[in-house]
Amino acid sequence: MKIKVNGEAVELEKELTVSELLVKQDVDMPDMVSVELNGEILDRDTFSDTVVKDGDQVEFLYFMGGGASVRF
Amino acid sequence: MYDFSEEQLQRYSRHIILQDVGVEGQEKLLTSSVLIIGTGGLGTPAAQFLAAAGIGKIGLVDADKVELSNLQRQVLHHTPDVGKLKVQSAKEKINAMNPDVEVKTYDYYLTSQNIKEVIREYDFVIDGTDNFPAKFLINDACVMEGKPFSHAGIIRFGGQTTTVVPGEDTPCYRCMFPQPPKPGSVPSCKEAGVIGVMGGVIGTIQATEAIKYILGKGELLTGKLLTYDALKMDFRKINLNKRENCGICSDDPEITELIDYEQGVCEL
Ligand SMILES: [Zn+2]
């Protein structure tokens, strides 16, 4: 089956959960990633039981800091 | 009607001859105000273009002093400024660049206790901070106050930015990232370098969004996260929707008071 991850085509042998896809795609800091599946942002606690299906569009959104330090 | 001086007509002539700006647009810029939170990698390029454009009032928030390691990317701060308050250093450059701009400085940290009264004074807010507690605080305060703002982040050779206009049917930062990352999962200081030009590219886009918002022209980056990968020289716009159960911008938000999140300090 074919899905799109961040705009690029990815071929998968079988359906995977979002957690499994994060591992398969070698995302090195999964805690720093928010996942959008077909336009909807997923709650983090659903990653392990949300299944990615043929034709799905997945976006990994990365937490980014940067700029200046404004501490508390 | 704003009374343009001969000097101002010359200074802003390349704006005034633009069909989408004109004398009316320049008047809007000169009578508007933008708050820049963080005068570092993102905030300094944003500040210099907003100042050059003739934004009437610019607020600068930063409690830090200029360090030598800032100069690789924080372009308003120069070598003799090391040790000086960043807001003071940036104010001096803006004053020299454009006397039309009134600069107000805040040399302290924003918290749940003081952020609302500061942002209330401005038409648009630019988030140029480097840490997640600040980013969530800015988002939540701006949503509560109905204040439009530009969010951005930069790391290594990457950057991203989005614009949030509360009250519209478009998402806020918390729709995209429901919770801050756990402190232990944030990259350590050594891992988190950034190429100096990145703040220039992304901070200048933030300034562009502020100007477009003030002019009321074009399409903003609302409902879109613009990501930039400098190594691939690739820009992408990711469409994003409002999250129905967002903790802050949904109809019945879970968060009713601002939160001061904790995070280990890491100077990027
Ligand atoms: Zn939201």
Side-chain angles (χ1 to χ4, degrees), chain B residues 172-218:
Chain B
C172 75
Y173 179 58
R174 207 181 262 283
C175 289
M176 306 171 198
F177 298 98
Q179 293 288 338
K182 294 186 216 94
S185 59
V186 176
S188 76
C189 303
K190 276 186 189 144
E191 287 171 275
V194 64
I195 192 78
V197 292
M198 187 52 65
V201 174
I202 302 294
T204 305
I205 291 174
Q206 292 187 280
T208 313
E209 289 288 281
I211 289 169
K212 281 162 54 196
Y213 175 82
I214 292 159
L215 294 174
K217 294 288 177 187

Side-chain angles (χ1 to χ4, degrees), chain A residues 24-65:
Chain A
K24 166 108 184 17
Q25 290 301 109
D26 234 358
V27 172
D28 65 348
M29 286 182 292
D31 285 346
M32 297 290 285
V33 176
S34 199
V35 178
E36 186 193 56
L37 177 62
N38 301 325
E40 298 299 325
I41 297 287
L42 301 176
D43 281 323
R44 183 160 294 278
D45 52 17
T46 65
F47 284 6
S48 55
D49 47 42
T50 303
V51 177
V52 179
K53 300 192 171 66
D54 190 34
D56 279 354
Q57 306 227 13
V58 183
E59 296 283 351
F60 293 146
L61 311 177
Y62 293 85
F63 264 118
M64 283 188 194

Side-chain angles (χ1 to χ4, degrees), chain B residues 5-6 34 74 86 94 105 118 125 165 178 180 191 237 239 253:
Chain B
S5 67
E6 228 10 81
V34 177
Q74 302 182 12
K86 285 185 176 181
I94 292 172
T105 59
V118 174
V125 174
V165 180
E191 287 171 275
K237 269 198 274 188
N239 287 314

